[in-house]
Amino acid sequence: MHDTVNINDRFTVAKFAPTSEQIESAARQGFRSIINFQTGEEVKADHMTPDEEARVAGQAGLKYLHQPVDVASLSDELVDRFRSKAAELPTPVLAHCASGKRAAAMVMMHVACEEGMDGDTAIATAQDSGAEIGSSEIEHFVKDYINRRNA
């Protein structure tokens, strides 16, 4: 699948909101779950709503998690809830938002905490894989969250 970044063998981040055809293709490629980080407010006319995406994912045999995230809602509690849910999903997982930046940030916080990375290593790992974390505000939150959880 093009415009994706492999974070590790369990998580791939898509830099786009997938179409129903792309979700079906992801299932054929071996993905077992999909995570949507888009908020309901950012769904465009040419994108599926979270409910529509859940239906398409289910029909394709994928587990589906909708975990809306925006900069204003980013908190330790939100990330902790996401990590708890993500740990239960069958892998490999395709994660997305509109651009892939929030998806990369959320996935990197999960992976870094599981693997005992510090914040700087997690950001470098994301960048080395081709993932973009987003604004300096989000990058700062990602580093701090990981360092607090792995202290």
Side-chain angles (χ1 to χ4, degrees):
M1 186 174 290
H2 97 280
D3 259 354
T4 60
V5 175
N6 293 325
I7 301 298
N8 62 19
D9 62 343
R10 295 173 300 136
F11 291 94
T12 298
V13 171
K15 296 180 178 184
F16 56 87
T19 63
S20 57
E21 293 81 17
Q22 289 168 320
I23 290 172
E24 292 163 1
S25 175
R28 287 190 302 274
Q29 292 175 36
F31 286 97
R32 298 184 58 213
S33 301
I34 188 164
I35 303 171
N36 176 358
F37 290 103
Q38 289 183 284
T39 65
E41 293 78 36
E42 67 182 304
V43 174
K44 298 177 183 168
D46 59 342
H47 294 155
M48 291 181 281
T49 66
D51 288 342
E52 291 167 331
E53 188 172 325
R55 181 185 50 76
V56 170
Q59 289 172 341
L62 298 171
K63 294 287 184 187
Y64 180 79
L65 172 61
H66 181 224
Q67 181 66 67
V69 175
D70 61 24
V71 176
S73 70
L74 203 53
S75 68
D76 287 1
E77 294 77 19
L78 176 80
V79 179
D80 291 344
R81 280 193 310 273
F82 157 69
R83 290 186 54 227
S84 176
K85 294 173 186 175
E88 297 174 2
L89 292 174
T91 61
V93 175
L94 180 64
H96 78 85
C97 57
S99 67
K101 293 176 183 175
R102 283 168 293 158
M106 296 293 284
V107 167
M108 280 311 304
M109 285 185 279
H110 179 64
V111 169
C113 289
E114 284 189 327
E115 296 181 6
M117 292 180 201
D118 64 34
D120 288 326
T121 302
I123 297 297
T125 299
Q127 291 169 341
D128 290 347
S129 72
E132 298 175 53
I133 298 296
S135 69
S136 59
E137 180 182 4
I138 293 175
E139 185 175 312
H140 180 75
F141 178 87
V142 168
K143 284 182 186 180
D144 285 353
Y145 176 87
I146 293 166
N147 290 336
R148 284 190 306 275
R149 291 301 184 261
N150 287 346

